[in-house]
Short mmCIF file of all heavy atoms in Angstrom, two decimals:
data_model
loop_
_atom_site.label_atom_id
_atom_site.label_comp_id
_atom_site.label_asym_id
_atom_site.label_seq_id
_atom_site.Cartn_x
_atom_site.Cartn_y
_atom_site.Cartn_z
N LEU A 316 -7.53 -0.43 -14.66
CA LEU A 316 -7.78 -1.86 -15.12
C LEU A 316 -8.91 -2.45 -14.49
O LEU A 316 -9.47 -3.36 -15.25
CB LEU A 316 -6.54 -2.63 -14.78
CG LEU A 316 -5.14 -2.29 -15.43
CD1 LEU A 316 -4.03 -3.07 -14.79
CD2 LEU A 316 -5.24 -2.62 -16.91
N ASN A 317 -9.35 -2.15 -13.34
CA ASN A 317 -10.37 -2.93 -12.62
C ASN A 317 -11.76 -3.00 -13.20
O ASN A 317 -12.46 -3.94 -13.26
CB ASN A 317 -10.38 -2.52 -11.22
CG ASN A 317 -9.44 -3.22 -10.34
OD1 ASN A 317 -9.05 -4.36 -10.58
ND2 ASN A 317 -8.97 -2.53 -9.33
N GLY A 318 -12.11 -1.87 -13.87
CA GLY A 318 -13.59 -1.81 -14.37
C GLY A 318 -13.74 -2.72 -15.51
O GLY A 318 -14.75 -3.44 -15.61
N ALA A 319 -12.70 -2.80 -16.48
CA ALA A 319 -12.87 -3.74 -17.58
C ALA A 319 -12.74 -5.12 -17.16
O ALA A 319 -13.51 -5.99 -17.62
CB ALA A 319 -11.88 -3.39 -18.67
N ALA A 320 -11.93 -5.49 -16.09
CA ALA A 320 -11.77 -6.79 -15.65
C ALA A 320 -13.09 -7.25 -14.99
O ALA A 320 -13.52 -8.44 -15.08
CB ALA A 320 -10.63 -6.87 -14.64
N LEU A 321 -13.76 -6.41 -14.30
CA LEU A 321 -14.94 -6.72 -13.61
C LEU A 321 -16.06 -7.13 -14.63
O LEU A 321 -16.83 -8.11 -14.42
CB LEU A 321 -15.53 -5.68 -12.73
CG LEU A 321 -16.72 -5.90 -11.99
CD1 LEU A 321 -16.68 -7.11 -10.97
CD2 LEU A 321 -17.22 -4.66 -11.12
N ALA A 322 -16.11 -6.30 -15.71
CA ALA A 322 -17.10 -6.64 -16.78
C ALA A 322 -16.86 -8.01 -17.37
O ALA A 322 -17.84 -8.69 -17.74
CB ALA A 322 -17.03 -5.45 -17.84
N GLU A 323 -15.53 -8.33 -17.57
CA GLU A 323 -15.21 -9.64 -18.05
C GLU A 323 -15.64 -10.75 -17.14
O GLU A 323 -16.18 -11.81 -17.51
CB GLU A 323 -13.74 -9.67 -18.37
CG GLU A 323 -13.25 -8.88 -19.55
CD GLU A 323 -11.78 -9.02 -19.83
OE1 GLU A 323 -11.19 -9.97 -19.15
OE2 GLU A 323 -11.28 -8.22 -20.59
N LEU A 324 -15.47 -10.59 -15.96
CA LEU A 324 -15.86 -11.55 -14.92
C LEU A 324 -17.34 -11.82 -14.87
O LEU A 324 -17.82 -12.93 -14.85
CB LEU A 324 -15.45 -11.10 -13.49
CG LEU A 324 -13.86 -11.23 -13.25
CD1 LEU A 324 -13.49 -10.51 -11.91
CD2 LEU A 324 -13.33 -12.57 -13.19
N ILE A 325 -18.10 -10.73 -14.96
CA ILE A 325 -19.49 -10.85 -14.93
C ILE A 325 -20.00 -11.59 -16.17
O ILE A 325 -20.94 -12.46 -16.11
CB ILE A 325 -20.21 -9.47 -14.75
CG1 ILE A 325 -19.75 -8.93 -13.37
CG2 ILE A 325 -21.70 -9.54 -14.96
CD1 ILE A 325 -20.33 -7.44 -13.13
N ALA A 326 -19.46 -11.20 -17.28
CA ALA A 326 -19.83 -11.76 -18.61
C ALA A 326 -19.49 -13.31 -18.63
O ALA A 326 -20.09 -14.02 -19.30
CB ALA A 326 -19.10 -11.13 -19.73
N GLY A 327 -18.47 -13.70 -17.81
CA GLY A 327 -18.03 -15.08 -17.73
C GLY A 327 -18.81 -15.92 -16.71
O GLY A 327 -18.41 -17.08 -16.48
#
Side-chain angles (χ1 to χ4, degrees):
L316 293 172
N317 275 326
L321 180 59
E323 288 181 10
L324 288 169
I325 294 171

